[in-house]
Amino acid sequence: MERGEWDNQTLLMEFLLLRLGDAHELQTPLFLLCLTIYTVTMVGNVLIIVLVVIDLHVHTPTYFFLVNLSSLETCYSSTILPRLLASFLTGDRTISVQGCMAQFFFFGTFATSEGYLLSTMSYDRYLAACQPLLYASLMNWKVCLQLVAGSWVVGLLISTSITSFICHQRFCGPSAIDHFFCEEVPLLELSCSDNGMTRILIIILSFLDVVFPFLFTLASYVCIIAAILRIPSSMGRHKAFSTCSSHLPMVIVFCETLIILYMLPRTAPLRQLNKMFSFSYSVLRPLTSPLIYSLRNRGVKGAL
């Protein structure tokens, strides 16, 4: 595009989030639903953090990872739901470009960090199931701190890179984002820049963001299942499998929703379906963490 054409275009100062729908009669039920989800998510995850911190019996690497996961879920939900709840209350659906980029940055940081943390937890479960005699020496507190710090740093670096690419786009209109929060694809659809190279770079970074932790987690559980099947006694197999019985459902929920979300075509007829899966991934899924760990984890139930 020529410079004169750029100058004739007015850059946007704010976006309009179309949320989950425009039907007025649905706003109150959606507000109550989101408020309930946010309250339960926050209370559940904070309760897990408090229980693990105050109960000395669960001061182990596994529960250290769990505290960090609950912390991520708390931050993760807080990047989307408070803004959405305020929108339902006030009817104001606008968000500044800077606010949109900030929401996208923090959402990406927490989501990527969680993917890598779940991979770290799968490695922890692999050591517990396949190397039980060496577990204490291989998974010491120094290693735990390095793995958790690495998950946060990788999430921060990848999100910073993707956000910087999107921040360099020019947004000239239309201003409506057909979503309930600032997400990568809807934002790029509004760009009036030549974003072909940006899309390629984001796809490369998305491999590190999504595919790599998924493959690592999958490989860990293939090794775990293979090791469990080699145990001769059924009691031994049950005991070995119980070491990952609470983590495995979390991985399945996380990977299943993420894969469907990324593989679903971004065509106009499927936009509402795409928003439903985004809602499931970004809003409902953090709710499952305290429920799964409180119902299936003996350590958390004992602390409670």
Side-chain angles (χ1 to χ4, degrees):
M1 184 175 288
E2 298 297 331
R3 182 175 179 81
E5 292 179 276
W6 281 123
D7 295 337
N8 290 332
Q9 292 180 330
T10 303
L11 295 181
L12 296 176
M13 300 302 295
E14 61 183 20
F15 294 117
L16 179 69
L17 292 171
L18 298 185
R19 299 187 305 206
L20 297 170
D22 292 327
H24 180 73
E25 62 274 9
L26 292 178
Q27 302 312 303
T28 300
L30 285 173
F31 170 78
L32 295 175
L33 174 64
C34 291
L35 179 62
T36 302
I37 291 173
Y38 185 54
T39 303
V40 175
T41 300
M42 295 295 289
V43 171
N45 282 297
V46 170
L47 182 60
I48 287 178
I49 295 171
V50 171
L51 288 174
V52 173
V53 169
I54 65 176
D55 192 338
L56 298 178
H57 295 93
V58 292
H59 284 191
T60 62
T62 300
Y63 294 99
F64 175 69
F65 293 136
L66 178 56
V67 165
N68 279 274
L69 179 65
S70 294
S71 301
L72 275 173
E73 300 281 21
T74 301
C75 298
Y76 187 86
S77 297
S78 298
T79 62
I80 297 175
L81 282 174
R83 176 67 184 77
L84 186 60
L85 289 170
S87 174
F88 283 131
L89 272 181
T90 63
D92 182 12
R93 298 184 293 174
T94 60
I95 183 171
S96 67
V97 173
Q98 294 81 0
C100 189
M101 294 303 160
Q103 185 186 60
F104 176 77
F105 168 75
F106 285 110
F107 173 80
T109 299
F110 298 135
T112 305
S113 299
E114 183 174 0
Y116 275 85
L117 184 60
L118 286 173
S119 298
T120 297
M121 294 174 74
S122 69
Y123 175 66
D124 172 70
R125 295 300 83 207
Y126 162 76
L127 292 180
C130 303
Q131 304 287 341
L133 299 179
L134 299 175
Y135 177 78
S137 60
L138 293 175
M139 191 57 70
N140 55 54
W141 284 110
K142 181 181 179 181
V143 173
C144 291
L145 288 171
Q146 291 173 341
L147 290 173
V148 169
S151 299
W152 282 86
V153 170
V154 170
L156 183 64
L157 291 176
I158 293 177
S159 182
T160 300
S161 301
I162 295 178
T163 305
S164 66
F165 292 143
I166 294 181
C167 283
H168 283 87
Q169 300 295 301
R170 295 172 65 94
F171 299 99
C172 313
S175 63
I177 299 177
D178 191 11
H179 217 287
F180 58 93
F181 72 100
C182 294
E183 199 183 30
E184 171 190 318
V185 175
L187 278 172
L188 287 177
E189 289 176 349
L190 300 183
S191 171
C192 50
S193 301
D194 182 8
N195 55 27
M197 184 57 67
T198 299
R199 289 179 181 273
I200 293 174
L201 292 172
I202 289 177
I203 289 173
I204 294 173
L205 289 172
S206 295
F207 178 85
L208 299 175
D209 183 0
V210 178
V211 180
F212 179 76
F214 168 72
L215 293 178
F216 184 87
T217 303
L218 181 64
S220 297
Y221 272 98
V222 168
C223 294
I224 290 171
I225 294 172
I228 290 175
L229 293 178
R230 288 196 296 267
I231 299 175
S233 67
S234 59
M235 184 175 294
R237 288 194 296 270
H238 181 269
K239 184 178 180 181
F241 186 74
S242 66
T243 61
C244 54
S245 61
S246 56
H247 179 250
L248 185 57
M250 274 298 301
V251 172
I252 292 173
V253 171
F254 181 85
C255 294
E256 182 183 61
T257 53
L258 195 61
I259 289 172
I260 293 174
L261 184 61
Y262 272 83
M263 292 184 65
L264 195 67
R266 302 276 178 168
T267 57
L270 295 177
R271 285 188 184 274
Q272 288 301 119
L273 185 61
N274 188 274
K275 282 198 282 188
M276 288 176 59
F277 279 111
S278 292
F279 186 82
S280 173
Y281 171 71
S282 58
V283 177
L284 291 178
R285 190 188 50 75
L287 177 66
T288 63
S289 178
L291 294 177
I292 289 174
Y293 277 100
S294 61
L295 294 175
R296 298 186 63 86
N297 193 290
R298 287 179 295 179
V300 172
K301 288 193 290 186
L304 183 61

